[in-house]
Amino acid sequence: MPSLHPLELPEVLLSVASYVSERSLPDCVRVSKAWHQVFVPLLWKDIALQKSRPIMPQAIHSNSQFVKTLRICQSFAWERAAPVFPKLDSLTFEYSIPDEYVFDFTTRHPFLTYLGLVKTVLPLSSRLLDQLIGLYNLRHLGIRVLQADEDNADKVWQLCARLERLDLSYLVISTQGNLGSTEFPHLCELRGIDCDEDCLQLVLSFVERCPNLQSFDWTLCHSENQRFIPVFAQLIAAGTWPHLRSISARMFKHEDDLSRIVQSMRRITDFMTDELLFTPKLLGLLRPHFSHLQALNLTLASQA
């Protein structure tokens, strides 16, 4: 029996694979049969479907068992006939997709841990909300606008109660859709939240019910909402979120509010604020966190 070349030993190939860039994967696939077996799953692990870099439908069907992360950037005629990806755990639609398409994809892939609807601006239907609530592995939802009328508000809160991370640009919930007794013990990351003034108090109550929050990015675009910033600062000072480690403080306009938050946080690992508020006083307050501070980002007010 002929001996294997050292570069075809499985343990060596796995080590080599850890240094190979995504661009080099197609070349690695063509080296030999042994390399083909190792690198084909890596080549198809994360794919993006876009018309500028087309992938033949036959190739997708043949390698669907390797796909774990799928990003669909544009509408395709064969969407409804797309194969089942048995290992798929992350699915992103980077265009405004009809509810029925999302329903179809999630029906065939019930083990998703992440779903991205990054261009969705229309309210999610009651049928689709029920579908998403039924995805028991879903932990991370990214959506441009999460909105619901009074009839579906309870379903939105029920969905959020199962998530660990929520990324969105705008939250629109009927002011009549109160939280009731819903708590959100699993949510540890909230990013990009903004809302109309009418539902700001409801959103503040929502965030207040996330006791295990670790990372928070609240982007308040409306000047009317700035009056709630001192309330938010008081909640942090009161220990509402004892595990909070990462905060984007771009929404703060006054040094006193920002200083109060920094003083109240037990451990800061990531911090972002307007460079105009980064004064010697704030630097002094951050100094006790330097030993575990991993990221410090200063932004211009015009870029916030």
Side-chain angles (χ1 to χ4, degrees):
M1 180 178 179
S3 59
L4 286 174
H5 188 282
L7 286 178
E8 292 188 345
L9 293 172
E11 59 271 24
V12 174
L13 278 177
L14 290 175
S15 179
V16 171
S18 65
Y19 294 96
V20 174
S21 67
E22 184 177 346
R23 173 180 278 184
S24 299
L25 286 174
D27 294 327
C28 293
V29 168
R30 293 189 285 267
V31 171
S32 68
K33 289 183 178 180
W35 282 54
H36 184 277
Q37 291 177 347
V38 170
F39 285 98
V40 162
L42 298 178
L43 179 63
W44 287 90
K45 180 180 178 181
D46 181 347
I47 65 171
L49 302 182
Q50 49 192 335
K51 293 179 181 177
S52 59
R53 297 178 62 186
I55 303 176
M56 294 298 291
Q58 297 89 335
I60 295 174
H61 279 267
S62 299
N63 296 280
S64 60
Q65 70 271 27
F66 304 123
V67 179
K68 294 183 178 180
T69 300
L70 176 62
R71 290 173 293 128
I72 304 179
C73 306
Q74 294 163 304
S75 179
F76 290 86
W78 51 270
E79 282 167 332
R80 300 302 288 269
V84 172
F85 302 95
K87 295 182 179 179
L88 189 68
D89 63 11
S90 176
L91 174 63
T92 303
F93 294 101
E94 297 185 357
Y95 68 100
S96 184
I97 184 170
D99 271 14
E100 59 267 24
Y101 278 26
V102 181
F103 187 91
D104 180 64
F105 265 85
T106 52
T107 297
R108 292 184 291 137
H109 302 92
F111 303 111
L112 292 174
T113 60
Y114 170 73
L115 177 63
L117 304 172
V118 297
K119 296 295 185 181
T120 296
V121 295
L122 297 175
L124 299 180
S125 66
S126 177
R127 178 172 179 253
L128 182 55
L129 283 169
D130 286 335
Q131 175 80 347
L132 299 184
I133 292 170
L135 298 177
Y136 294 109
N137 290 341
L138 189 66
R139 295 293 179 266
H140 182 183
L141 176 65
I143 186 168
R144 183 175 178 182
V145 178
L146 181 58
Q147 60 177 311
D149 54 24
E150 182 180 349
D151 294 334
N152 288 326
D154 289 345
K155 293 183 179 181
V156 169
W157 300 131
Q158 187 179 349
L159 173 62
C160 291
R162 300 185 54 254
L163 299 175
E164 295 177 0
R165 178 174 175 178
L166 177 61
D167 299 333
L168 58 92
S169 299
Y170 218 83
L171 184 63
V172 183
I173 300 291
S174 168
T175 54
Q176 303 301 316
N178 62 73
L179 292 167
S181 59
T182 309
E183 299 286 339
F184 309 93
H186 305 297
L187 265 173
C188 57
E189 291 189 45
L190 288 173
R191 297 191 179 279
I193 297 180
D194 196 8
C195 60
D196 292 329
E197 185 181 10
D198 291 342
C199 65
L200 185 59
Q201 184 60 60
L202 185 63
V203 172
L204 192 62
S205 298
F206 161 56
V207 178
E208 192 175 357
R209 297 190 187 193
C210 302
N212 295 309
L213 197 62
Q214 298 177 18
S215 178
F216 190 36
D217 176 359
W218 194 0
T219 305
L220 297 177
C221 298
H222 296 285
S223 59
E224 299 87 352
N225 294 345
Q226 297 297 321
R227 61 190 176 87
F228 278 86
I229 289 176
V231 178
F232 178 69
Q234 291 171 7
L235 289 172
I236 292 185
T240 305
W241 304 286
H243 306 292
L244 192 62
R245 300 286 184 268
S246 173
I247 187 166
S248 172
R250 295 174 294 173
M251 64 208 184
F252 296 101
K253 304 300 181 184
H254 302 289
E255 182 184 359
D256 290 343
D257 290 331
L258 192 55
S259 298
R260 185 186 307 172
I261 285 176
V262 173
Q263 286 178 306
S264 303
M265 292 179 67
R266 299 176 183 177
R267 183 185 180 95
I268 300 177
T269 58
D270 295 88
F271 189 75
M272 177 183 288
T273 188
D274 189 329
E275 66 173 12
L276 297 179
L277 296 180
F278 196 71
T279 61
K281 176 183 177 182
L282 183 61
L283 180 62
L285 293 174
L286 280 173
R287 194 174 299 278
H289 302 277
F290 280 0
S291 61
H292 37 258
L293 191 64
Q294 299 174 6
L296 176 61
N297 297 305
L298 304 180
T299 64
L300 294 173
S302 60
Q303 297 175 341

